[in-house]
Amino acid sequence: MLTNGGMQRGRTWLKIPNYSIRTLYWEYVVSYVQNLGKTQVSTNQLSDTLAEMAYDGNVKPYLDFFSENFLKRLSNLDLQNFDEKYIKVMMLSTLFISRLYLPVSEDENINGYTDIYLQKHPAVKDIKYEYVFEIKYVKTDATDTEVNTKLSEAETQIEKYKKDERFANRDDMKFIAVVFKGKGEYFCEI
């Protein structure tokens, strides 16, 4: 796509070699710019979904947003050797953007370690809900039985976490057991 354009002031300069390559290159750049809006993630929309969690107790918009904008963009090659720790890291990367929560990974609990604990940010006094996520993952070709088994495992862990004195008998705590399947499908229990 480029060729030697000569030397100037001790530096080699590159140039587009001819009209055909210039046209193809320009068409590529125009196409890239037009598609750029389709590949970017709206942090405003992400913030809106996190606000729904914090103030309305509704986690579904966040999970939909995460699934659509992150998991569905993975290639099939990305899913080789893929497991829940990758999803957890991806989720944490979106949650750290929030000014409403202090995300904690692998928070120590009397009965294990929560995958993600969303603790209210102390500077924001009117947040209504905190969250504990237990995340599981199954491959795209997993059966309904496999999905249900993983969901049951997550729910069992959640029940143990609920007994921790920090979380017990709190109306402002939401416990989310979620199983992601392949590239974007998910099942959850609240």
Side-chain angles (χ1 to χ4, degrees):
M1 302 215 30
L2 298 173
T3 189
N4 187 344
M7 294 276 295
Q8 287 183 344
R9 300 177 65 105
R11 294 183 181 171
T12 301
W13 294 92
L14 300 175
K15 69 177 186 175
I16 298 172
N18 56 44
Y19 177 77
S20 295
I21 296 298
R22 177 173 284 134
T23 302
L24 288 172
Y25 184 68
W26 178 249
E27 287 172 1
Y28 169 77
V29 169
V30 168
S31 172
Y32 176 79
V33 169
Q34 287 174 340
N35 289 323
L36 194 57
K38 297 176 187 172
T39 59
Q40 291 181 336
V41 174
S42 167
T43 54
N44 288 336
Q45 188 178 357
L46 173 59
S47 294
D48 290 346
T49 66
L50 293 170
E52 274 195 63
M53 286 174 57
Y55 297 105
D56 302 326
N58 187 3
V59 72
K60 188 176 180 336
Y62 169 74
L63 292 174
D64 288 346
F65 179 86
F66 175 75
S67 177
E68 189 66 36
N69 290 284
F70 292 90
L71 294 180
K72 286 186 179 177
R73 292 184 182 190
L74 296 175
S75 74
N76 290 334
L77 192 57
D78 290 329
L79 296 179
Q80 290 181 354
N81 300 317
F82 196 78
D83 62 23
E84 66 189 50
K85 71 178 171 262
Y86 298 109
I87 290 176
K88 186 177 86 165
V89 168
M90 292 170 68
M91 283 181 75
L92 283 167
S93 71
T94 65
L95 296 168
F96 282 126
I97 292 171
S98 174
R99 294 192 170 135
L100 302 173
Y101 290 109
L102 299 175
V104 181
S105 176
E106 298 298 326
D107 184 54
E108 190 171 353
N109 188 293
I110 60 168
N111 292 306
Y113 296 88
T114 63
D115 282 337
I116 297 175
Y117 169 39
L118 287 183
Q119 183 178 18
K120 295 176 187 178
H121 195 292
V124 186
K125 302 293 184 201
D126 63 342
I127 295 172
K128 292 182 180 177
Y129 299 101
E130 289 187 343
Y131 290 84
V132 169
F133 285 89
E134 185 58 37
I135 302 163
K136 300 294 180 191
Y137 175 77
V138 294
K139 299 284 185 189
T140 304
D141 59 355
T143 65
D144 289 345
T145 302
E146 291 170 310
V147 170
N148 289 332
T149 298
K150 286 289 188 179
L151 194 55
S152 179
E153 287 174 19
E155 290 171 341
T156 299
Q157 287 176 270
I158 289 286
E159 288 305 316
K160 290 178 182 177
Y161 302 151
K162 287 180 179 180
K163 296 174 184 169
D164 187 285
E165 64 184 35
R166 293 176 300 154
F167 305 142
N169 301 317
R170 286 180 52 188
D171 294 334
D172 64 339
M173 284 300 306
K174 297 266 185 182
F175 297 89
I176 312 298
V178 61
V179 176
F180 289 95
K181 181 180 179 182
K183 292 190 330 184
E185 192 175 3
Y186 71 88
F187 308 85
C188 77
E189 284 295 322
I190 301 171

